């Protein structure tokens, strides 16, 4: 097999180039080729300098993640060896960077004696997002090249920086305008005779005298980055080792910490999720040749929270939006919220004032429903009531141009029923955005029975354009995410009656790693969502809360009491309401264990996920995990509900549900698929 690495001579400069699409991952063959290239340079007196460059889209984007868990990952030469061979080359080695130099890719670049980059390049160490740390000297060279603070920020966030900033902090020696290879060769010629060779591992200027307090201060300043995750702290410890030891010892500390992480369940979960997220974009059974429709203009019906947030996604992707309301007051309120949201983002440096002006300039607010006639995609985002939606789609059928895609943002309702209100069900699809729609990355693309393949392909392509992570869902009540919320909410409410408190139940979830528990979420979203609005009709605890205006955070009270800073505290009023319900139901409160709460609110979600799979409402188990990580903040270090169930063991999930079955009664039935897989010792999410 031909090596992905080729070497060519340009005068006295040896060019080592990598052609390993799509991202020049540092697989075994690439590692071998790099070593051979350096050996060639060392062996020839005619070679005075070396350039390492990536062909195609990018410089090396890191180790080959698909090798992890296979013997190839540790096949000699491993990356730690490769980087030291590069740095010990007897000729100056220049890294020529375009695209992304990520993870092992940046580590290769840091082992080079010099780095040049085009201004659009990005450099980073995203290993922490895979539950790892830079395991090829990166935690030792990065602080030596850019200083401890930048090294801590880059390693624990995993976020890349642009080449310009990289040059400012000392990671890049020269920004290249024009042909990268040509300028890199010229630069190599310039530095060919400079000695001693600047080996980053030998530098001490940026780490000596580091105040040891910087590490505790960093953790204290970034609590969320560390909560629940193992990798960020080990990244910090590895960087700290660089300030305490010379390179040779520090890199041993790095290796030990790397191997600890690689062996852990969090790294497996996060690496699983890396591929799960990319797999979600693939639509089973739709030929690659199916092309998306062109979307030049979007219409949005409803300028409320969802309609406004949805519109913002398209505007900032450069797609003009016509937004329709039924009253000028609602229109003005909606567009006002959009502007304020953009201005808030601009204050955080996300957009410039000029961009905000462009976004709002591409918005066409109107009361004229017929102005939707020239839109290529129209998204309905009105009140969650089937009759209203059917009436709107009936009108759209008459107004929208042929070939326009008609989408509903419904979060529960039947897309087929909505499509039947039109003469073009093939053009109807669900686009379920999650609130706030301009922030949450998840988009459930609901495939109706008659939704055309190219409509689906268009929706998935558009999702990528507006920086959403899209998952295809089938038509069922609540699709994937919200459907799995139902058993969780049902059991959580019953547990209140049986003796648990909102705080105890929520704590099981936040200790698990969820951003909030079921009752904190209800208070945030609104206890009154779906309430029948009749304060005299009190059939359950939520009715009772709504009847006394406890609609959640927006009212300063819900399942919790809130102070002026919206800080929650357990509510004696709510406790009394629960006790009154218990008395009425003749229920005696009992001690509820955290384990029972976990089984009845988390295991039941897994069971529902299995039903979603067996009914074909999700394409694959990993899609369900993508929904929960991006839609509800499921801790990515647990991989998602289905991967987590595999880690727990499906038989233990079944056993737990059996233990709780008596309390769940008729609300619960087992998924046949779950029972079958548990019995066979199989998994939902592969390896
Ligand atoms: N290994 C294997 N495959 C990879 C890969 C990688 N590092 N990066 C991307 N792919 C595949 C991906 O699965 C997809 O495949 C295709 O390439 C396009 O990816 C020792 C241990 C580079 C910014 O974490 O961030 O180095 O679905 O859809 O949107 O210290 O890919 O087409 O079959 O994402 O243009 C560290 C991960 C590794 C970088 C490009 N590096 N990749 O984004 O394309 S650990 C990373 C990315 C490491 C060392 C440690 C992005 C990208 P398919 P894509 P994109």
């Amino acid at each position: 097999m031909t090596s992905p690495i080729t070497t060519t001579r340009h005068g006295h400069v040896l060019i080592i180039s990598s052609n390993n699409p799509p991202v020049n991952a540092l697989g075994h063959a690439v590692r071998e080729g790099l070593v051979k290239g350096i050996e060639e340079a060392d062996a020839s007196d005619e070679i005075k300098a070396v350039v390492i460059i990536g062909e195609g889209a990018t410089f090396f984007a890191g180790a080959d993640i698909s090798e992890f868990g296979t013997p190839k990952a540790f096949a000699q030469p491993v990356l730690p060896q490769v980087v030291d061979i590069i740095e010990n080359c007897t000729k100056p080695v220049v890294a020529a960077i375009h695209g992304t130099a990520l993870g092992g890719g940046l580590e290769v670049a840091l082992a080079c004696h010099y780095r040049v980059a085009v201004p659009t390049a990005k450099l980073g160490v995203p290993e922490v997002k895979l539950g790892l740390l830079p395991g090829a000297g990166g935690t030792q060279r990065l602080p030596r090249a850019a200083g401890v603070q930048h090294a801590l920020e880059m390693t624990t966030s995993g976020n890349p920086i642009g080449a310009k900033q990289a040059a400012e902090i000392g990671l890049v020696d020269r920004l290249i305008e024009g042909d990268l290879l040509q300028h890199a060769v010229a630069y190599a010629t310039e530095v060919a005779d400079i000695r001693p060779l600047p080996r980053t591992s030998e530098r001490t200027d940026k780490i000596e005298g580091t105040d040891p307090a910087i590490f505790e201060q960093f953790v204290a300043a970034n609590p969320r980055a560390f909560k629940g995750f193992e990798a960020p702290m080990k990244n910090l410890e590895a960087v700290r080792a660089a300030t305490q030891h010379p390179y040779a010892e520090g890199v041993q500390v790095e290796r030990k910490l790397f191997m600890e992480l690689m062996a852990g369940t969090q790294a497996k979960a996060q690496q699983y999720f890396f591929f799960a997220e990319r797999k979600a974009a693939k639509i089973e059974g739709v030929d690659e040749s199916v092309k998306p429709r062109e979307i030049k203009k979007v219409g949005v019906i409803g300028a409320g929270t969802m309609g406004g947030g949805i519109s913002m996604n398209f505007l900032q992707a450069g797609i003009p939006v016509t937004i329709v309301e039924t009253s000028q007051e609602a229109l003005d309120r909606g567009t006002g919220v959009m502007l304020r949201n953009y201005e808030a983002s601009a204050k955080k440096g996300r957009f410039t004032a000029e961009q905000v002006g462009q976004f709002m300039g591409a918005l066409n607010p109107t009361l004229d429903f017929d102005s939707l006639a020239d839109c290529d995609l129209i998204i309905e985002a009105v009140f969650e009531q089937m009759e209203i939606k059917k009436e709107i789609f009936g009108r759209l059928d008459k107004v929208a141009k042929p070939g326009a895609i008609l989408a509903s943002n419904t979060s529960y309702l039947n897309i087929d029923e909505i499509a039947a209100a039109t003469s073009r069900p093939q053009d109807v699809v669900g686009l379920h955005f999650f609130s706030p729609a301009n922030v949450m990355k998840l988009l459930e693309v609901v495939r109706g029975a008659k939704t055309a393949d190219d409509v689906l392909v268009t929706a998935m392509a558009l999702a990528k354009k507006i920086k959403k992570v899209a998952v295809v869902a089938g038509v069922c009540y609540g699709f994937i995410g919200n459907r799995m919320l139902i058993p969780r909410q049902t059991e959580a409410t019953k547990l209140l009656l049986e003796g648990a408190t909102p705080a105890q139940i929520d704590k099981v979830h936040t200790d698990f790693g969820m951003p909030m528990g079921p009752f904190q979420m209800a208070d945030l979203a609104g206890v009154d969502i779906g309430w029948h609005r009749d304060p005299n009709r009190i059939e359950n605890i939520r009715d009772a809360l709504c009847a006394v205006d406890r609609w959640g955070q927006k009212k300063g009270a819900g399942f919790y009491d809130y102070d002026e800073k919206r800080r929650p505290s357990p509510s004696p009023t709510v406790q009394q309401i629960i006790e009154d319900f218990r008395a009425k139901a003749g229920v005696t409160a009992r001690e509820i264990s955290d384990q029972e709460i976990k089984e009845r609110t988390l295991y039941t979600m897994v069971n529902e996920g299995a039903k979603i799979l067996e009914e074909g409402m999700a394409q694959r188990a990993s899609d369900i995990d993508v929904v929960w990580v991006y839609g509800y903040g499921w801790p990515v270090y647990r991989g998602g509900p289905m991967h987590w169930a595999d880690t727990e063991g499906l038989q233990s999930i079944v056993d737990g549900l059996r233990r709780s079955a008596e309390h769940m009664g008729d609300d619960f039935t087992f998924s046949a698929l779950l029972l079958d897989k548990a019995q066979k010792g199989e998994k939902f999410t592969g390896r």
Side-chain angles (χ1 to χ4, degrees), residues 22-23 61-65 68 103-104 107 126-127 130 134-135 274-275 278 282:
V23 296
D64 185 337
I65 308 171
F68 290 177
E107 291 175 293
E127 286 88 337
L130 298 170
F274 173 86
F275 291 111
R278 284 155 180 80
K282 296 175 170 59

Side-chain angles (χ1 to χ4, degrees), residues 152-163:
L152 288 173
E153 285 160 5
M154 291 180 74
T155 55
T156 58
S157 73
N159 297 330
I161 61 174

Side-chain angles (χ1 to χ4, degrees), residues 82-150:
V82 174
V83 296
D84 287 348
I85 288 166
I86 292 171
E87 190 175 64
N88 293 325
C89 180
T90 54
K91 322 291 174 61
V93 182
V94 177
I97 301 169
H98 75 296
T100 54
L102 296 177
L106 181 53
E107 291 175 293
V108 163
L110 284 167
C112 295
H113 305 103
Y114 301 94
R115 286 154 294 281
V116 299
V118 296
T120 52
K122 289 191 184 316
L123 296 82
V125 277
E127 286 88 337
V128 69
K129 295 182 178 178
L130 298 170
L132 297 172
L133 54 78
T139 64
Q140 306 304 301
R141 288 191 173 91
L142 198 50
R144 286 180 167 84
V148 172
Q149 184 65 27
H150 290 301

Side-chain angles (χ1 to χ4, degrees), residues 573-651:
T573 308
V574 171
Q575 205 46 44
Q576 189 55 57
I577 288 173
I578 293 170
E579 279 160 23
D580 293 348
F581 260 95
R582 267 190 213 130
K584 217 184 295 175
V587 171
T588 307
R590 63 184 173 87
E591 191 67 32
I592 308 259
S593 70
D594 286 356
Q595 177 59 24
E596 181 180 346
I597 291 170
K598 186 175 163 186
E599 289 165 1
R600 291 177 61 179
T601 58
L602 289 171
Y603 286 16
T604 49
M605 281 173 54
V606 170
N607 186 66
E608 198 64 30
K611 289 183 178 177
I612 286 168
L613 273 179
E614 66 196 33
E615 293 167 22
M617 294 298 126
Q619 296 190 98
R620 49 188 85 88
S622 58
D623 281 7
I624 295 173
D625 289 340
V626 172
V627 164
W628 269 85
V629 168
Y630 278 118
Y632 305 84
W634 183 283
V636 70
Y637 56 79
R638 295 184 189 274
M642 309 312 275
H643 178 87
W644 170 67
D646 287 339
T647 310
E648 291 279 289
L650 297 189
Q651 191 54 51

